[in-house]
Coordinates of all heavy atoms in Angstrom, one line a residue:
D13 N -0.3 70.9 20.4 CA -1.2 71.1 21.6 C -0.7 70.3 22.8 O -1.3 70.3 23.8 CB -2.6 70.7 21.3 CG -2.8 69.3 20.9 OD1 -1.8 68.5 20.9 OD2 -4.0 68.9 20.6
G14 N 0.4 69.5 22.6 CA 1.0 68.8 23.7 C 0.3 67.5 24.0 O 0.7 66.8 25.0
A15 N -0.7 67.1 23.3 CA -1.5 65.9 23.5 C -0.7 64.7 23.2 O -0.9 63.6 23.8 CB -2.8 65.9 22.8
S16 N 0.2 64.7 22.2 CA 1.0 63.5 21.9 C 2.4 63.8 22.2 O 2.9 64.9 22.0 CB 0.8 63.2 20.4 OG 1.4 64.2 19.6
Q17 N 3.1 62.7 22.7 CA 4.5 62.8 23.0 C 5.3 61.9 22.1 O 4.8 60.8 21.8 CB 4.7 62.4 24.5 CG 4.0 63.3 25.5 CD 4.6 64.7 25.5 OE1 5.7 64.9 25.4 NE2 3.7 65.7 25.6
P18 N 6.4 62.3 21.7 CA 7.3 61.4 20.9 C 7.5 60.1 21.6 O 7.7 60.1 22.9 CB 8.6 62.2 20.7 CG 8.3 63.5 21.2 CD 7.1 63.5 22.0
M19 N 7.4 59.0 20.9 CA 7.6 57.7 21.5 C 9.0 57.2 21.4 O 9.4 56.1 21.8 CB 6.6 56.7 20.9 CG 5.2 57.1 21.1 SD 4.7 57.2 22.8 CE 4.8 55.5 23.3
G20 N 9.9 57.9 20.7 CA 11.3 57.5 20.5 C 11.6 57.4 19.0 O 10.7 57.7 18.2
P21 N 12.8 57.1 18.6 CA 13.1 57.0 17.2 C 12.3 56.0 16.5 O 12.0 55.0 17.0 CB 14.6 56.7 17.2 CG 14.9 56.3 18.5 CD 13.9 56.7 19.5
D22 N 12.0 56.3 15.2 CA 11.3 55.3 14.3 C 12.3 54.6 13.5 O 12.9 55.2 12.6 CB 10.3 56.1 13.5 CG 9.5 55.2 12.5 OD1 9.7 54.0 12.6 OD2 8.7 55.8 11.7
F23 N 12.4 53.3 13.7 CA 13.4 52.5 12.9 C 12.7 51.7 11.9 O 13.2 50.7 11.4 CB 14.2 51.6 13.9 CG 15.1 52.4 14.8 CD1 14.8 52.5 16.1 CD2 16.3 52.9 14.2 CE1 15.7 53.2 16.9 CE2 17.1 53.6 15.1 CZ 16.8 53.8 16.4
S24 N 11.5 52.1 11.5 CA 10.7 51.3 10.5 C 11.1 51.5 9.1 O 10.8 50.7 8.2 CB 9.2 51.5 10.7 OG 8.9 52.9 10.4
G25 N 11.9 52.5 8.8 CA 12.3 52.8 7.4 C 13.5 52.0 7.0 O 13.9 51.0 7.7
T26 N 14.0 52.3 5.8 CA 15.2 51.7 5.3 C 16.4 52.6 5.5 O 16.3 53.8 5.2 CB 15.0 51.4 3.8 OG1 13.9 50.6 3.6 CG2 16.2 50.7 3.2
Y27 N 17.4 52.1 6.1 CA 18.6 52.9 6.5 C 19.8 52.3 5.8 O 19.9 51.1 5.5 CB 18.8 52.9 8.0 CG 17.6 53.6 8.7 CD1 16.6 52.8 9.2 CD2 17.6 54.9 8.9 CE1 15.5 53.4 9.8 CE2 16.5 55.5 9.5 CZ 15.5 54.7 10.0 OH 14.4 55.3 10.6
A28 N 20.7 53.2 5.4 CA 21.9 52.8 4.8 C 23.1 53.4 5.5 O 23.1 54.6 5.8 CB 22.0 53.2 3.3
Q29 N 24.1 52.7 5.8 CA 25.3 53.2 6.4 C 26.0 54.2 5.4 O 26.2 53.8 4.2 CB 26.3 52.1 6.8 CG 27.5 52.6 7.5 CD 28.4 51.5 8.1 OE1 27.8 50.5 8.4 NE2 29.6 51.7 8.2
Q30 N 26.4 55.4 5.8 CA 27.0 56.4 5.0 C 28.4 56.6 5.3 O 29.2 57.1 4.4 CB 26.2 57.7 5.1 CG 24.7 57.6 4.6 CD 24.6 57.3 3.2 OE1 25.3 57.9 2.4 NE2 23.8 56.3 2.8
D31 N 28.8 56.4 6.5 CA 30.2 56.8 6.9 C 30.6 56.0 8.1 O 29.8 55.5 8.8 CB 30.3 58.3 7.2 CG 31.7 58.8 7.3 OD1 32.6 58.1 6.9 OD2 31.8 60.0 7.8
Q32 N 31.9 55.8 8.3 CA 32.4 55.2 9.5 C 33.8 55.8 9.7 O 34.5 56.1 8.7 CB 32.4 53.7 9.4 CG 33.3 53.1 8.4 CD 33.3 51.6 8.5 OE1 33.3 51.0 9.6 NE2 33.2 50.9 7.3
M33 N 34.2 56.0 10.9 CA 35.5 56.5 11.2 C 35.9 56.1 12.6 O 35.5 56.8 13.6 CB 35.5 58.1 11.1 CG 36.8 58.7 11.2 SD 36.9 60.4 10.7 CE 36.6 60.3 9.0
G34 N 36.5 55.0 12.7 CA 37.0 54.5 14.0 C 38.1 55.3 14.6 O 38.2 55.7 15.7
R35 N 39.1 55.6 13.7 CA 40.2 56.4 14.0 C 40.2 57.7 13.2 O 40.2 57.6 12.0 CB 41.5 55.6 13.7 CG 41.7 54.4 14.6 CD 43.0 53.7 14.3 NE 43.0 52.4 15.0 CZ 43.0 51.3 14.3 NH1 43.0 51.3 13.0 NH2 43.0 50.1 15.0
P36 N 40.2 58.8 13.9 CA 40.1 60.1 13.1 C 41.2 60.2 12.0 O 42.3 59.8 12.2 CB 40.4 61.1 14.2 CG 40.0 60.5 15.5 CD 40.4 59.0 15.3
A37 N 40.8 60.7 10.9 CA 41.6 61.0 9.7 C 42.1 59.8 8.9 O 42.6 60.0 7.8 CB 42.8 61.9 10.1
V38 N 42.0 58.6 9.4 CA 42.5 57.5 8.7 C 41.7 57.3 7.4 O 42.3 57.2 6.3 CB 42.5 56.2 9.6 CG1 42.7 54.9 8.7 CG2 43.5 56.3 10.7

Side-chain angles (χ1 to χ4, degrees):
D13 63 1
S16 66
Q17 297 295 322
M19 300 301 290
D22 178 3
F23 292 106
S24 63
T26 301
Y27 298 90
Q29 182 170 331
Q30 298 294 314
D31 194 9
Q32 64 178 318
M33 189 170 291
R35 297 185 190 108
V38 168

